[in-house]
Each structure stands twice: as structure tokens, then as C-alpha cells.
Amino acid sequence: AKHSCRLACGTCLRDDRTSPPTNAPVAPTVKSVWNVWKYVEDSHTIEDADNTCFESAERLKHTATKGIDGNPDYFTLNTDSYVDGAFRFGCKHKTNNICDQSCYPFDGTYPDWSDKSYLTFLAKIEGDFNTFCKPVMSLAGGGWPRKLSNKIILEDSYVDNGHLSTNEWRRVLIPFDDLETTKWDLTQVYSILFHRCGLEHKLDQPSYHISSLSVTNNAIELISNAPSSSPSVYVSDDLLLATHRHVAHHWYPIFRPETEPVGNRWVYAESNSWPIVQGSDNPQTVTVLIPEDQTVIYSGADGIKYDKIIVKGSLTIQPINANVFLTATTIIVESGGVLDIKTEDDPLHTITIEIDGALDQTKDPQETMVGIVAWEGKLAITGNDVVTKMAGLSDVASVGTKLLKVDGVNLGFILGGELVLPDTQTGLDVAHWSFPSNSGYVDQTEICTIATIESSQLGETLITCDHELVYDHSVGSKIAYVTRSIKIFTSPSSISRGHILHTGVGKFEVRNTRIENFGRTTTDVIDSTVIQPTELKFGPMMKQMEVTHVGTNQIARYALHAHHSKIEAYFTGNALLYSPRDGMVAHNSRVHITDNIIVGADGTGIFLEDSTETGPVVNNYIIGTGGGSRKGDDSRFGTELGRDMAHGGFGIWARGVLALIKNNHCEGHFGLSPYAFFVHPRFVEDKPIPDVPGTPAILVGKSRHEIWQVTGGGGTQLQSYGGFVGNTAVATFQVGIALSYFASNSDDEVGSIINGAHIQALGSSGQGISTTHSRIFTLNDVTIEGMVEENQLYGIWCGSCNNCQLVTPSTNLIFENVNVDRAGNC
């Protein structure tokens, strides 16, 4: 009878077999209540008592407790600094597209609360609460991408006596009108969340005890503070005092004409035309707004240095029979806005976007501005296709010469185009503890501007540079062609460097574009400015923020960055030059990173940040210029809670193993390693794989631990869903391929497979492959080659693997000219 009631819960009346808590207010009789959670048995799927409906149950130690002494059953949702407490609804698992594990309403569907009036429950709380840490709940659902309701602070008119207690059950009543947003009407509710207080809260995180969770169309009178009409908790303060709005995962500054400095002004696009700015405005004082109903084309070069260009409608930047030049401090693509930068309709002309300006630490303390940012907007940058992105030198390019001999003809290079020649010097003792201070090291990367170009009858292209080379560059080394029809760069006169960031839904595609001197985050220890909300209350997703810590190195201000993007993104055919930390970054996003040239990214050229990234990384050429901290990731991993990674100087760095990394090539000098995997699960083990097109269905919504269970508990290996195939390096480095924290079962006879790697070391010391806390790898067609005679190279160095020795079964592994083939725990 109990399960029958659960299955029919859409029409099930309130069950009063159990009395309410003896110290809780007694709810009046109501005509209809849909019980969501009333008994301990409601905590698991109806099909399997061992399959909990609590999210992150093992990590957060959620519990369900039988009531005693007349009190009802209740459940406890704990939180930590990273993860909210959550209770799932609807289908939890499908087989052959049929739900076979279901939480409330226990029939495989997700509840629809769009036509209901109130959410109600009894609650007690534990934790250290203050002005910046309050008990908060919300809902998630609405299909994919997942939508969030408004967040409700559990106090004031929502709660008996205006606040929750640690030792007394109190009734909570929340009008669904207060939870509903303009983007979600509360259909297909996926979960209820009780929120954490975040990393900056150094005291105990909240724990929530919840009982008698139900939905009703009847108001329940609360003690002392009856709920007012929706939205009762908001609009109590002047909206002009709100400083930030919430988009996707973070808080971003609000800009409005009323809060501009004296002397600044806003101009508006009308009649689908770019506004004409009269007079000679001072630089960075004019903001252009493209309203929602405007579709504008910019194809000029008006010479004005704009402060902001805010796109709420549609803005296309394209040449029409002339080159285009635009200067601004920040271009913002708002939710629903479209920014399309393209040269495809006029291949003879170019677009240059110059970022020139300074951060406003008062309005924007977390440095989100300066550059191009898309907050759930559609951002597409599309340059003309490039025929040849890299080509090998067919002869040594010697110091003092202007002539380059390059393999191949009809390369598509143009006069005035630029080529990057990597550093090919040999014999650097990079593994020495005092390098580079003991060596007088100078980076020998240089740029050639093409003065003449012709094809020879020997199948070569002969290129004359506009100046003599300063260094030698070895035969066979790859030159990189970095000229593109679209160039976006930070002006030499700019006080702050630009960055490109997209977050949330919309569109994010950057193709065949040159991005130069972008990114602000450096390889120093991350020290981010922290903001917290004041007690002022506004409309949904708006806050007044105040700074509680002023940082010196803000995280996540990288050159080209997909930041929790909920769409399939593309970085293809670009040339990215010089970043003080990371070049191309996929953070909890699916990004196709293919056919790019990346030069001089001090931290890492390509950064797969969170272990949830599944997009392919294929056919990229990364040139290192010797930057980075030169330290391994363990040096900051624990102290910085896993947030400060990939600072050492890498080509490609990955936190997980779900992406295909194939046919990439690295040259030059890398502070630590051309290729690195650091797959320690701590701090990311519960992060779910985002559901975006192209993601393997078996991964969607699963955490690393859940994926591990799918693979039978044997550890997820490189080849399980991605792979490491055909990657090469001719470079100076401490480690050619760094492999850290790969898990495997004791009966695993394969481990992760490294396929077809050829690593050539230009230095006199270092390691071809280094492993840490890893037991087994299969190395197929792997060659480790020293390029310097009488070197001190190790072919494989095996770090600690918990009293084991690394094994490499079924291996086709070649060592050429290395001092010691295997060392450490090999």
C-alpha cells in the first residue's frame, strides 16, 4: 500500500499516519498535498533500496533518519566548500532508453510544478552562519541545458519566526512564483538544492535537516510572518545599488548609464545602423549599445577608442571593400545577443580589433572586463581559411641569413605574412636545480616577416625575411605561419591585457583568427579577489557585492577561454601568440581544439582544466618559449585546493582522460613538459560531465566516480573514451610526457595506452617519460630519443606508486641515445 501511494503520488493526498514534530507548528488541514519526501523509503529509487536519490551521497554523507518520539522521518543534506546538498527527482538511470531507476514521482517522469502554488517543508540547520553565509535553497530542471530557479534565502517571510533554528523544527513555505524565472516555469524539476557557502567561507559549511517535503496549492499560515505575494523577498532596495548579476556560474558586473563616470556617455544604435559619435570624445569614454531590436553591420575604421560595446541585439563586423579597424576596452555580448566577426564575404580585406584600456577595480573587482566577453551570448569569429599552418625547414637557417628554405610549394603564404621560427638550441641542462639562472639562457624564438617568396624546382619554397636572423634554426624544425585575416590584439599602449571568455549557453566559435598578447592571469600563485553580497536585496540574480579580499593574480583570465560553456565550442585554425599563463582553455566545456598554432603560452598552450572536458585536441602546433614556474603540479595542488594547476610550462595539459589528444606537435622550450596529465581525483571527483551535443551519451551527467563504476571499477584509462595518439615533440624540457595519478586495478594488464609518440630531447638532461603514483602503462610505438651526445637523459623515470614498480606490458618502446633507459621505480 505504501508503494502504491508513492506510484500515484501525483494525486496522493496527505498521509497523516505520522504526527508532525512535537515542537513544530501544526499545519492546518489542507485539501491536497503532494508528498515529495515523507518517509525514509522515499530516499531511494522505487526499484532498488540501495540506489539513493541523494546526489554526492558518498562524498557528503547524506542520511535519512527514522523519526522517534512522535517526530517524523527526516533527511540530512550536508555541503562542503565545493558541492551543494541535492536530492534528485525523476529518472536516475535508463537502459535502452527506458527508465529502470526512478526517484520521485517514482514513475520515470520529472515533476511539473508550474501549476502548483507552494513548496513547503520542516527544517533545522547546522553550520556557522553570518552576513555572507545564509541557508539557501533552489530548484534545478527544465531539461538541458539545466536551468536554475531563483535562490531563496531561508529566512524572513519564508520561515516560522523569520529564521531557522538548530534545535527546533520550523515550517518553511515558499511560493513557486518566487522560485520561477523568466527562463524556467518549473516544468521538469530535476532536483532540489540546499546550498553551500563556498570556498571563502572558512567556518563550517551548512547542513540541512529536512522533513515533510511537499507541494501544495494551499497557503499554510506561518508563525509571525505570513508569506506575502510573489516576489516577497525582493525589490526592497534601489536597483541602482545592485552591482552584479549572476550568469551561468559566476557574478558579473552590471553596467548602466546612470553609474558611468562624469564625462562618459552612452550612444545607441538606431535604424539598424552604427551610431555616429559627434565631436572628439576622449579615449575610452563612449559606450555603444546595440539594443535587442537592432541588427547592425560595422565595416569602418572611425578612429574612436570606445570604452564598451554592449551587444544585446546583433552586431556583425565585416569588411566591405576596405579593411576594418575597431578599438575598444571591452566588447560584451549579452544573453540573446549576437556578435559575428567575419571576413569570408570579402577575402581581400582584413579585420583588426585592438583592445586598449584599463581595468576598473571598483566596478569590476574580479577583472572580468577588458577584451571580448560573451555572457550567454552568441560569439563567432571566422577568418579566411589558411592553406598551410606549419612547414619544415629543408635546410639550416643560419644566424645572419635572410633566406629560409621550406619544404613544399604553393603554401599559401603572402608577402608581409609572418613566420615564427622555434628555439632549436641544444645542450641546455634543464634538469639542473638552478637552471636557468646558472646558464645565461636566452630564448631563441624569432619572427620572420616575408619580404619575397618563390617556389624552386626542387619542391621547396624560398622565403626572404625582412631582416637577418639572430639565431640558428635546425633543419627539419617547423616554422609556423601566424598571419590571419582577422587579428585581435592588446595594444602596446593598453594598461591592461585583454582576454576572450564565453560562459553559459549561446554560441562560441573562433576560427582562423590571430590572437596576440592576450590573457592576464600569470604563472604566479593564484590570488583572486573575493567578493561577497551585502544584505541589500533586489530582483532575482542581482546583488550588491563588496570586496572582502583584494587579490594580485585573478584566476581564469586566460587568452581564449570556454568557461562552463553549455554549447559545443570550436577553436580551429587560429594563431595565438604570447600569454602570461594559458593559451586555449576548455573549462568544464566541450571544445574542439584543432589545427591551431600556439606560441609562448607561459603556463600551458592548451589547458583542459576540470577533467570533464571531452572535446578533441587534434593537429595543433605548440611552440614553447621557456616560460612557466618550472615546478610540478604537486607543488600547489593541496595548498591551493586544486585551483592552481598547469603553471609549470607545458604544451598540452589535461586534468582528465576523456578527450582525444591526437597528432599534436611541440617544439621550442617548455619549462616543464610538452605533454602532461595530472588526473588526481581530489577536488573534481563529483563534477558531472556537461550535456552538450557530441558528448558520449554514456558520460553525460556522470561524475568521475560514476564513470569509474561504469567501467567496472577498473579506472578510466586514456583509451576508454579519448586517447593519446601520434603526438610528437622536438624540444627542450624537463619531462617529455608527464603521467601522474593514473588509477588501475591490480588485475589490469594494460593500463592507459600511449600510442605512437616520438619525443626528441634537445636538452642535455631530463626525462622522456615520467610517471607518478601510477602502476601500469602500455607504450605502443613510442620512441624516446636524445639529440645531444653524452647526455644525462632518462628514458623513463618512475616515481612512487605505493610500493610497486611500474610495468609496461606489450610494449614497442625504443630508446635512442639516452644515458639511462629506466630509473626510479621501474
Side-chain angles (χ1 to χ4, degrees):
K2 170 74 177 296
H3 279 190
S4 297
C5 182
R6 289 175 70 190
L7 285 169
C9 60
T11 56
C12 184
L13 296 182
R14 178 174 178 173
D15 186 338
D16 289 317
R17 289 177 292 172
T18 302
S19 301
T22 55
N23 57 354
V26 178
T29 302
V30 294
K31 293 181 179 180
S32 61
V33 172
W34 289 264
N35 292 314
V36 178
W37 193 101
K38 184 152 186 159
Y39 302 105
V40 167
E41 292 81 4
D42 297 332
S43 304
H44 56 75
T45 65
I46 194 168
E47 298 83 359
D48 184 357
D50 293 327
N51 193 353
T52 180
C53 295
F54 297 130
E55 295 279 67
S56 305
E58 183 176 342
R59 170 176 178 153
L60 297 178
K61 311 300 182 188
H62 303 316
T63 59
T65 305
K66 284 284 188 183
I68 59 175
D69 297 331
N71 287 283
D73 296 0
Y74 67 94
F75 64 87
T76 299
L77 290 181
N78 299 306
T79 67
D80 65 19
S81 298
Y82 292 89
V83 182
D84 298 321
F87 184 71
R88 277 280 300 274
F89 304 133
C91 184
K92 190 175 180 187
H93 183 269
K94 291 182 179 180
T95 300
N96 296 325
N97 211 32
I98 298 175
C99 184
D100 55 13
Q101 294 290 324
S102 54
C103 301
Y104 174 84
F106 307 107
D107 59 1
T109 67
Y110 295 93
D112 179 355
W113 291 342
S114 62
D115 60 347
K116 304 298 187 293
S117 299
Y118 300 97
L119 179 71
T120 186
F121 50 89
L122 299 170
K124 293 194 295 186
I125 54 171
E126 297 179 46
D128 290 299
F129 298 97
N130 53 39
T131 302
F132 306 114
C133 177
K134 293 179 179 292
V136 176
M137 64 77 54
S138 66
L139 300 173
W144 190 263
R146 200 87 66 216
K147 301 176 181 66
L148 293 178
S149 73
N150 290 323
K151 293 181 179 179
I152 301 297
I153 300 175
L154 300 180
E155 59 182 24
D156 298 334
S157 60
Y158 295 113
V159 183
D160 277 330
N161 296 316
H163 61 89
L164 294 175
S165 169
T166 59
N167 53 21
E168 179 182 71
W169 291 105
R170 294 189 176 175
R171 171 69 63 183
V172 176
L173 184 69
I174 302 170
F176 279 123
D177 283 348
D178 286 16
L179 287 159
E180 185 176 326
T181 71
T182 57
K183 295 184 179 180
W184 183 33
D185 60 359
L186 305 185
T187 57
Q188 290 187 282
V189 182
Y190 178 83
S191 63
I192 184 170
L193 298 94
F194 291 87
H195 289 270
R196 68 194 188 280
C197 288
L199 289 168
E200 288 73 28
H201 184 67
K202 304 304 181 184
L203 304 175
D204 289 342
Q205 296 287 335
S207 291
Y208 301 82
H209 306 293
I210 306 298
S211 178
S212 304
L213 177 64
S214 59
V215 171
T216 178
N217 285 333
N218 299 274
I220 299 172
E221 185 175 355
L222 299 180
I223 297 175
S224 73
N225 288 321
S228 59
S229 59
S230 167
S232 54
V233 73
Y234 300 120
V235 298
S236 59
D237 288 295
D238 184 353
L239 289 177
L240 292 179
L241 298 176
T243 61
H244 286 72
R245 55 349 196 333
H246 194 270
V247 181
H249 282 68
H250 293 281
W251 292 93
Y252 295 99
I254 296 171
F255 294 96
R256 50 173 74 91
E258 298 88 344
T259 56
E260 289 289 323
V262 174
N264 285 23
R265 63 183 178 124
W266 285 38
V267 296
Y268 301 84
E270 297 179 347
S271 302
N272 296 321
S273 298
W274 184 263
I276 297 175
V277 178
Q278 301 290 346
S280 56
D281 287 76
N282 291 324
Q284 293 93 28
T285 60
V286 176
T287 292
V288 173
L289 175 64
I290 312 295
E292 289 90 340
D293 61 348
Q294 295 294 299
T295 299
V296 175
I297 295 176
Y298 178 89
S299 58
D302 59 18
I304 297 173
K305 293 187 175 182
Y306 295 97
D307 180 28
K308 296 179 292 294
I309 300 171
I310 302 175
V311 183
K312 295 186 176 182
S314 174
L315 173 62
T316 298
I317 301 174
Q318 66 180 46
I320 301 177
N321 301 320
N323 294 333
V324 176
F325 197 95
L326 179 65
T327 302
T329 300
T330 310
I331 303 175
I332 305 164
V333 190
E334 296 279 12
S335 178
V338 177
L339 175 59
D340 193 4
I341 305 171
K342 60 182 182 179
T343 55
E344 58 188 354
D345 295 332
D346 187 351
L348 299 179
H349 295 98
T350 63
I351 296 173
T352 302
I353 296 178
E354 178 186 42
I355 297 301
D356 189 353
L359 290 162
D360 183 338
Q361 301 284 2
T362 301
K363 286 186 177 179
D364 181 28
Q366 293 191 316
E367 302 183 9
T368 59
M369 307 296 284
V370 184
I372 302 175
V373 293
W375 296 329
E376 298 202 315
K378 294 181 179 180
L379 173 59
I381 308 173
T382 310
N384 298 334
D385 289 339
V386 177
V387 176
T388 304
K389 299 177 182 68
M390 68 176 184
L393 288 175
S394 58
D395 197 1
V396 174
S398 300
V399 58
T401 187
K402 292 184 178 181
L403 179 65
L404 306 180
K405 296 181 179 180
V406 181
D407 290 326
V409 295
N410 301 319
L411 301 178
F413 300 164
I414 64 172
L415 296 180
E418 291 187 317
L419 302 167
V420 176
L421 287 77
D423 183 341
T424 62
Q425 63 182 301
T426 59
L428 295 175
D429 189 9
V430 289
H432 193 281
W433 65 270
S434 63
F435 183 87
S437 60
N438 68 340
S439 65
Y441 162 75
V442 175
D443 174 48
Q444 295 185 4
T445 307
E446 52 187 324
I447 293 180
C448 159
T449 300
I450 299 173
T452 68
I453 184 167
E454 61 180 304
S455 297
S456 77
Q457 295 182 350
L458 300 176
E460 297 175 316
T461 295
L462 306 180
I463 295 172
T464 304
C465 301
D466 69 336
H467 64 276
E468 296 179 353
L469 297 181
V470 179
Y471 306 106
D472 292 333
H473 299 276
S474 302
V475 60
S477 65
K478 302 295 191 294
I479 60 172
Y481 185 63
V482 296
T483 295
R484 300 293 186 269
S485 61
I486 298 176
K487 179 179 178 180
I488 303 173
F489 73 105
T490 299
S491 170
S493 65
S494 183
I495 295 173
S496 303
R497 292 173 66 105
H499 72 124
I500 300 175
L501 177 145
H502 175 277
T503 190
V505 298
K507 181 178 182 179
F508 193 26
E509 299 183 6
V510 182
R511 305 176 190 266
N512 301 317
T513 297
R514 175 164 167 165
I515 301 166
E516 188 169 354
N517 292 322
F518 261 44
R520 280 193 298 276
T521 308
T522 74
T523 57
D524 293 339
V525 174
I526 295 296
D527 179 20
S528 296
T529 294
V530 178
I531 58 176
Q532 293 280 10
T534 68
E535 292 186 333
L536 297 181
K537 297 173 182 176
F538 308 96
M541 314 307 284
M542 298 174 66
K543 295 287 185 184
Q544 182 189 72
M545 294 292 186
E546 62 182 11
V547 174
T548 59
H549 169 74
V550 177
T552 57
N553 190 25
Q554 189 73 31
I555 197 171
R557 304 299 171 246
Y558 311 128
L560 181 59
H561 185 190
H563 184 67
H564 300 280
S565 296
K566 297 178 181 179
I567 39 80
E568 195 164 23
Y570 294 85
F571 302 161
T572 302
N574 304 291
L576 191 153
L577 281 67
Y578 307 114
S579 170
R581 179 95 179 203
D582 302 325
M584 298 184 181
V585 180
H587 181 192
N588 193 40
S589 304
R590 179 174 170 84
V591 187
H592 295 250
I593 304 177
T594 58
D595 297 303
N596 299 287
I597 303 291
I598 303 172
V599 180
D602 288 349
T604 183
I606 296 172
F607 186 26
L608 306 184
E609 186 170 354
D610 239 10
S611 83
T612 58
E613 295 77 25
T614 60
V617 179
V618 178
N619 292 335
N620 300 284
Y621 179 26
I622 301 101
I623 296 176
T625 56
S629 69
R630 310 188 65 81
K631 297 178 181 178
D633 292 293
D634 278 314
S635 65
R636 301 181 190 174
F637 178 63
T639 57
E640 300 301 315
L641 304 178
R643 291 169 295 182
D644 194 344
M645 312 296 287
H647 48 79
F650 302 92
I652 298 174
W653 189 100
R655 188 80 165 85
V657 297
L658 302 180
L660 174 63
I661 300 176
K662 182 178 180 180
N663 293 344
N664 301 283
H665 183 64
C666 294
E667 292 197 21
H669 177 193
F670 297 89
L672 203 61
S673 179
Y675 302 101
F677 291 87
F678 188 93
V679 298
H680 197 299
R682 190 180 179 195
F683 308 119
V684 295
E685 64 266 35
D686 288 318
K687 295 189 175 183
I689 308 301
D691 184 4
V692 299
T695 304
I698 195 171
L699 300 179
V700 171
K702 292 185 175 65
S703 65
R704 286 179 60 154
H705 179 71
E706 290 169 328
I707 296 170
W708 174 77
Q709 290 177 316
V710 169
T711 58
T716 307
Q717 305 301 339
L718 283 170
Q719 67 276 11
S720 299
Y721 302 99
F724 189 82
V725 181
N727 299 289
T728 57
V730 184
T732 297
F733 48 73
Q734 296 183 60
V735 178
I737 305 174
L739 304 167
S740 300
Y741 298 100
F742 280 77
S744 60
N745 279 345
S746 58
D747 57 354
D748 187 344
E749 298 181 353
V750 176
S752 279
I753 300 174
I754 306 296
N755 263 316
H758 191 173
I759 306 299
Q760 296 172 284
L762 299 181
S764 64
S765 58
Q767 303 158 2
I769 296 175
S770 175
T771 69
T772 302
H773 290 286
S774 305
R775 185 186 66 82
I776 183 170
F777 292 95
T778 294
L779 307 174
N780 288 335
D781 298 318
V782 174
T783 299
I784 307 299
E785 181 179 1
M787 306 301 288
V788 177
E789 299 298 327
E790 299 182 2
N791 60 65
Q792 298 298 313
L793 292 167
Y794 296 102
I796 301 180
W797 176 273
C798 311
S800 171
C801 59
N802 300 323
N803 299 317
C804 74
Q805 285 194 328
L806 180 83
V807 293
T808 53
S810 305
T811 290
N812 181 8
L813 173 63
I814 299 172
F815 297 113
E816 294 185 4
N817 191 32
V818 298
N819 184 50
V820 178
D821 288 356
R822 296 172 180 261
N825 295 309
C826 289

